[in-house]
Amino acid sequence: MKFHEDTIFKNQGQLYGQKLIEIVEIPGKIVKIHRTEYSTLDPKMYKPDLVIELEDKIIIFEFQSTYVDVSDKRRFRFYSALFDHVEIKSKKPIEVHVLSSVETNRVKWYHVNPDSKFPIYIHSLKSYDEKEFINTMKTKIEDDGNLNEKELLMLSLLCFMHSEKNIPDLIHESATIITNITNLNNDIAQFVKGIILMLCDKFVDDELLNTRIINKVGGNMKVVEDYADRVAERKINEKNEALVIKLRKKGFKIEEIAETADVSRDFVEKILTKVEA
């Protein structure tokens, strides 16, 4: 991924991140929101959603729309080991917490070896009914009531509540409601819209709906507009990368690939070096 949640969340991350972990009932006080992208690895594969440092531990926080399986457990364990290596100065224990749209509150274990196992804490918002929550919030908005920080964050997390709608439609619903709230404080807006953009990028595969959501939450918020640009650039690069690989398999030379795909020779060489190594 080429967008930077680090930019979106760094300004008010500590304040509103505290509200976020309170919603999912993770105890503790936040002292820092860490960057989550490490240039040493492919960020599309090895990039946790949020890394939150509390007074007594580090929380790797993930949003998930499927059941946590063995591959997820290995990935989360890798996140933990990677962060422990990068942030070597911190001696705090590291925990993985997952906000799931399908599972209930529970703890899953990854058995590293017969003598060691790694816990993964699953959190659920299924006790909230999406339709009832939206109706309550809309009534409050129509009555010119100010939504508090928790309510605004909850609106960004609609897709994790009990609902008959699918996840992409719920994310679109979140974007619609949030952007229709007048006089929304810029700081909380940045954090809430950042959450919506992150969820959109993770869970909305339909390109048209994805673009619609990005455009909707973008508004005049510069950092979100930059985010949308980076997402669009990433998608173009992914399409070009696929075309380069396809042409190479058909026997095209580097110069021919660059001309056919309308990309630079350096771009072609970089892709081929990665896939043909």
Side-chain angles (χ1 to χ4, degrees), residues 68 82 107-108 153 169 190 215 217 225 230 233 269:
V68 173
L82 172 63
V107 179
K108 287 190 172 182
L153 280 166
D169 286 342
Q190 175 174 300
N215 290 340
V217 298
E225 291 173 350
R230 283 189 285 268
E233 180 187 357
E269 291 177 341

Side-chain angles (χ1 to χ4, degrees), residues 27 37 44 51 58 88 101 119 122 124 147-149 157 180 188 220 224 233 255 268-269:
E37 187 170 307
K44 288 193 293 184
V51 179
I58 305 290
I88 193 71
S101 65
I122 312 292
S124 172
L147 302 188
N148 59 41
E149 293 163 356
L157 301 174
N180 284 338
I188 185 64
N220 295 320
V224 178
E233 180 187 357
E255 294 81 2
V268 175
E269 291 177 341

Side-chain angles (χ1 to χ4, degrees), residues 8-270:
I8 290 177
F9 297 126
K10 71 177 182 180
N11 293 331
Q12 298 297 328
Q14 184 171 331
L15 175 61
Y16 301 122
Q18 186 68 46
K19 298 293 181 182
L20 178 63
I21 67 170
E22 289 173 5
I23 287 172
V24 296
E25 299 182 345
I26 299 175
K29 181 178 179 181
I30 294 179
V31 297
K32 184 178 180 181
I33 302 291
H34 287 264
R35 71 189 304 270
T36 60
E37 187 170 307
Y38 303 110
S39 59
T40 55
L41 295 168
D42 181 357
K44 288 193 293 184
M45 293 181 62
Y46 302 113
K47 186 176 186 303
D49 291 331
L50 290 171
V51 179
I52 303 169
E53 182 173 353
L54 306 181
E55 290 179 322
D56 60 339
K57 58 191 171 187
I58 305 290
I59 298 294
I60 294 176
F61 191 79
E62 283 283 298
F63 298 107
Q64 186 109 347
S65 63
T66 56
Y67 286 87
V68 173
D69 60 17
V70 173
S71 62
D72 292 313
K73 293 177 181 179
R74 289 173 179 163
R75 177 167 54 91
F76 296 154
R77 176 59 178 164
F78 183 85
Y79 287 169
S80 175
L82 172 63
F83 189 82
D84 191 40
H85 173 72
V86 173
E87 298 292 334
I88 193 71
K89 292 178 289 186
S90 174
K91 301 300 182 182
K92 297 177 182 179
I94 300 174
E95 295 180 355
V96 172
H97 290 251
V98 176
L99 178 55
S100 173
S101 65
V102 293
E103 299 195 65
T104 57
N105 294 326
R106 61 183 302 187
V107 179
K108 287 190 172 182
W109 297 89
Y110 173 48
H111 293 268
V112 181
N113 56 55
D115 300 318
S116 176
K117 57 182 182 178
F118 180 73
I120 299 165
Y121 300 91
I122 312 292
H123 303 269
S124 172
L125 294 180
K126 293 300 183 184
S127 59
Y128 291 90
D129 182 88
E130 164 264 329
K131 188 180 297 183
E132 291 181 3
F133 183 79
I134 287 179
N135 287 338
T136 300
M137 294 302 102
K138 284 184 176 179
T139 298
K140 190 170 181 179
I141 294 170
E142 290 168 0
D143 292 339
D144 295 323
N146 292 322
L147 302 188
N148 59 41
E149 293 163 356
K150 179 180 178 181
E151 290 169 335
L152 290 168
L153 280 166
M154 291 291 289
L155 278 173
S156 72
L157 301 174
L158 285 179
C159 65
F160 295 99
M161 299 181 186
H162 174 73
S163 177
E164 296 178 357
K165 302 175 185 176
N166 61 40
I167 288 178
D169 286 342
L170 287 169
I171 295 173
H172 183 248
E173 184 89 30
S174 293
T176 301
I177 296 173
I178 289 293
T179 53
N180 284 338
I181 297 175
T182 58
N183 301 319
L184 186 60
N185 176 274
N186 286 335
D187 290 335
I188 185 64
Q190 175 174 300
F191 192 89
V192 169
K193 290 180 179 181
I195 292 290
I196 293 174
L197 284 173
M198 180 188 292
L199 297 177
C200 175
D201 191 69
K202 288 195 71 169
F203 301 138
V204 182
D205 295 325
D206 181 87
E207 196 165 327
L208 181 60
L209 182 58
N210 189 292
T211 301
R212 187 178 296 135
I213 293 171
I214 289 173
N215 290 340
K216 185 163 292 192
V217 298
N220 295 320
M221 192 169 72
K222 183 65 168 61
V223 68
V224 178
E225 291 173 350
D226 290 344
Y227 177 109
D229 289 342
R230 283 189 285 268
V231 170
E233 180 187 357
R234 188 202 73 206
K235 290 182 177 180
I236 291 172
N237 284 338
E238 287 176 349
K239 288 181 179 179
N240 288 339
E241 181 176 338
L243 180 57
V244 167
I245 295 171
K246 183 178 180 179
L247 292 173
R248 185 63 164 182
K249 287 181 178 179
K250 290 185 176 182
F252 282 66
K253 297 179 180 179
I254 290 178
E255 294 81 2
E256 295 172 327
I257 295 173
E259 182 177 354
T260 303
D262 193 23
V263 295
S264 69
R265 180 188 175 95
D266 287 343
F267 179 85
V268 175
E269 291 177 341
K270 181 179 179 181

